[in-house]
Amino acid sequence: MNEQQQQFAQRLGFAGLVPFLLLALAGLLDVYGATAIQWFIYYSVAIISFLAGVHWGLQMVQPSSATNRRLGWCMVPPILAFAALAASAWLSSLAILAWLAVLHLFWLNYERRHLAEHEWYVAMRGQLTFTVVALHIILLIISF
């Protein structure tokens, strides 16, 4: 990937923070507070699933002896995120927000171990994940 493509990918990545920021702000200001938090949760699950697709695609174009194992790991976070949504009748928004924050951190750790050769991507993902997890924590605090 050339530098221009990397910069475009970074702009898109940071643009993906906009829904997180707007929904967290709406939750913080209590503008449709409960609905904003619920949409924040849905978007968080969507992003976790998107990251699974990124890793799935990487494994398909760069097969290795660990491909089957890594394909399996690609499915774990979105399934766990969906399970949290499915269990929302029994789990509070607090529990779901905390769980999704952990899954975002899991993805970052996974990427740092398996994508170290893509320094620009790992650096960008670190910034994005830090922001997303911080927003999860803010919503957790205001939800108490």
Side-chain angles (χ1 to χ4, degrees):
M1 186 176 259
N2 67 39
E3 189 173 330
Q4 184 180 14
Q5 292 168 323
Q6 288 176 9
Q7 290 173 351
F8 185 66
Q10 288 172 329
R11 285 193 298 273
L12 289 175
F14 285 101
L17 287 177
V18 172
F20 280 118
L21 293 167
L22 292 176
L23 292 167
L25 184 61
L28 188 61
L29 298 175
D30 202 20
V31 177
Y32 301 107
T35 301
I37 291 171
Q38 196 61 44
W39 288 356
F40 182 97
I41 288 169
Y42 294 152
Y43 187 64
S44 187
V45 171
I47 293 301
I48 288 169
S49 297
F50 170 78
L51 293 172
V54 168
H55 289 283
W56 186 275
L58 287 172
Q59 290 307 305
M60 300 306 280
V61 298
Q62 297 175 350
S64 70
S65 60
T67 295
N68 287 347
R69 182 174 39 84
R70 288 185 182 170
L71 287 173
W73 275 112
C74 289
M75 295 309 300
V76 171
I79 289 170
L80 293 176
F82 179 77
L85 284 182
S88 64
W90 302 284
L91 295 176
S92 68
S93 292
L94 290 171
I96 295 170
L97 285 166
W99 182 240
L100 294 174
V102 168
L103 289 176
H104 282 287
L105 291 171
F106 170 86
W107 265 130
L108 180 60
N109 183 50
Y110 182 88
E111 289 173 331
R112 284 184 173 162
R113 286 184 286 121
H114 297 289
L115 298 177
E117 69 274 11
H118 303 287
E119 292 177 34
W120 71 271
Y121 177 78
V122 174
M124 176 190 70
R125 287 286 300 123
Q127 294 169 338
L128 294 172
T129 299
F130 173 79
T131 304
V132 168
V133 171
L135 292 171
H136 277 79
I137 292 169
I138 289 168
L139 289 179
L140 281 166
I141 291 169
I142 66 167
S143 295
F144 277 118

